[in-house]
Amino acid sequence: MGSPTHATEPPAAPPTGPASRRGAVLAILCAGMFLVLLDVTIVNVALPGIGRALGTGLPGLQGVVDGYAVAIAGLLLGGGALGDRVGHRRTTLTGFALFGLASLACGAAPGAGPLIAARVAQGAGAALLLPGSLALVTAHYPGRAEQARALGMWAGISSTALPAGPLLGGLLVDTIGWRWTFLLNAPIAAAAIGGVRALVREPRRARPGAAPDRAGM
């Protein structure tokens, strides 16, 4: 007979794939969060160049910054709820696609109005990416200890984007121009979409078919 301690231990969570595959999944999801946070700060050093190129003053530049942040804040909970309903893999793919396309629109914007609109679309894509990537990390690392390590890496690597933004933005502005602070996102998002499609599985939905809380959203 086994000891009482052994008898009451919960069974270990089953592995979700080879370690190398799960490591690649984690790297892809970290890249998504890195982009989300990078675009919070990378634009700051580009604002003088944007103002001169597009002929906009302080109100327009505030819209460029705030359009992104407000869209994330306003849509984040809705993005998580949508992932519960339709699947977090799907919302993460949609978030990457929307973020990448909106970044191209930002880089090609002919004026302040189109740039602000594209920044809002960027924020909407980020609001799908953030909760979706978190849900996918937890699904691929079900064990408590490995999940804690994976989430620590996800948060730690992603948070380096905040101080990296001004440094990278300054380098881009001084060399190839402010538009590349946005255009840089597009090829990374495209590569991440390919990686998600190839490697990431859809986790079990927490509330399949649940009706969205439209009033709350």
Side-chain angles (χ1 to χ4, degrees), residues 47-79:
L47 292 176
I50 293 172
R52 290 191 298 270
L54 303 184
T56 186
L58 182 60
L61 296 179
Q62 286 177 325
V64 172
V65 175
D66 295 341
Y68 182 73
V70 171
I72 295 176
L75 299 174
L76 184 61
L77 293 180

Side-chain angles (χ1 to χ4, degrees), residues 5-210:
T5 302
H6 291 158
T8 57
E9 281 185 354
T16 58
S20 59
R21 179 189 179 108
R22 290 194 296 159
V25 168
L26 181 59
I28 294 166
L29 299 175
C30 286
M33 269 305 300
F34 188 89
L35 288 181
V36 167
L37 296 181
L38 184 72
D39 270 61
V40 173
T41 58
I42 194 172
V43 72
N44 294 342
V45 295
L47 292 176
I50 293 172
R52 290 191 298 270
L54 303 184
T56 186
L58 182 60
L61 296 179
Q62 286 177 325
V64 172
V65 175
D66 295 341
Y68 182 73
V70 171
I72 295 176
L75 299 174
L76 184 61
L77 293 180
L82 184 63
D84 287 340
R85 178 174 170 80
V86 304
H88 290 288
R89 180 178 182 271
R90 184 178 298 177
T91 56
T92 298
L93 285 170
T94 303
F96 270 123
L98 180 57
F99 191 89
L101 291 173
S103 296
L104 289 175
C106 287
L115 178 56
I116 293 170
R119 285 284 283 173
V120 172
Q122 259 192 328
L128 295 175
L129 269 177
L130 198 158
S133 65
L134 177 59
L136 292 174
V137 170
T138 58
H140 283 76
Y141 290 86
R144 284 190 178 182
E146 64 176 8
Q147 188 175 101
R149 288 192 295 270
L151 291 177
M153 292 180 63
W154 177 81
I157 293 174
S158 304
S159 65
T160 62
L162 293 174
L167 299 176
L168 179 58
L171 177 64
L172 293 173
V173 169
D174 287 343
T175 54
I176 52 179
W178 65 266
R179 293 184 183 274
W180 281 95
T181 61
F182 303 113
L183 295 175
L184 178 69
N185 297 327
I188 299 174
I193 288 172
V196 171
R197 290 176 64 89
L199 298 174
V200 177
R201 64 175 178 83
E202 181 67 82
R204 182 182 302 173
R205 298 178 195 174
R207 294 177 296 167

